[in-house]
Amino acid sequence: MDLAVSGGEVCALVGQNGLARLFDLGGAELRTFEAGVPLQCAAFGRRGDTLLLCGGAADPVALLFAVAEGQQVLSFRSHRGPVVAGELRIADRQHREFRLGVVSVVP
C-alpha cells in the first residue's frame, strides 16, 4: 500500500487489489482508478492533473492516468522487475511538462 499527495488537496491510496482511490483531505472518495494489476506505488504529476501508478513484482508496469477524466493515457511495460521509483519528463504541444517515476529493480 502506498499514499501519494497532490498539492495538499487530494491524495491517492493504492494497494495490491489493483485499485487506486483518490480522496480529498476531508476523507471523501473522489474517484477510483482500475489498474488491473497489484500496485506498489503512486505519484502525482507536478500540476496534479496526472497520476502514475506502478505495479509490483507480479506485474512490473507503470501506468499514467489523467486525473480529471479517470482515463489511462500511457503505459510503460518493458520492465523486468518491480517498478519502485525514478523520473521521466515529457512535454506536450501545450508545453505542459509531466514528471513521472519509472525505475524497475531487476532481482
Side-chain angles (χ1 to χ4, degrees):
M1 189 176 305
D2 188 39
L3 177 70
V5 179
S6 173
E9 298 175 13
V10 296
C11 64
L13 181 65
V14 301
Q16 294 296 307
N17 63 357
L19 299 178
R21 297 169 57 199
L22 191 67
F23 295 91
D24 68 19
L25 296 185
E29 187 169 343
L30 304 173
R31 181 179 300 279
T32 298
F33 300 89
E34 294 186 31
V37 300
L39 296 170
Q40 172 131 353
C41 59
F44 282 97
R46 183 173 19 165
R47 295 180 1 176
D49 57 350
T50 55
L51 178 63
L52 183 72
L53 304 177
C54 301
D59 194 341
V61 63
L63 306 170
L64 180 67
F65 284 82
V67 171
E69 296 83 8
Q71 299 293 317
Q72 180 181 324
V73 294
L74 286 173
S75 172
F76 303 93
R77 294 191 176 272
S78 62
H79 306 286
R80 297 186 321 202
V83 180
V84 294
E87 183 175 282
L88 170 67
R89 292 182 184 204
I90 302 170
D92 66 10
R93 290 180 185 226
Q94 287 79 35
H95 304 288
R96 295 178 298 185
E97 184 178 288
F98 303 94
R99 294 178 65 170
L100 314 172
V102 182
V103 167
S104 62
V105 176
V106 180

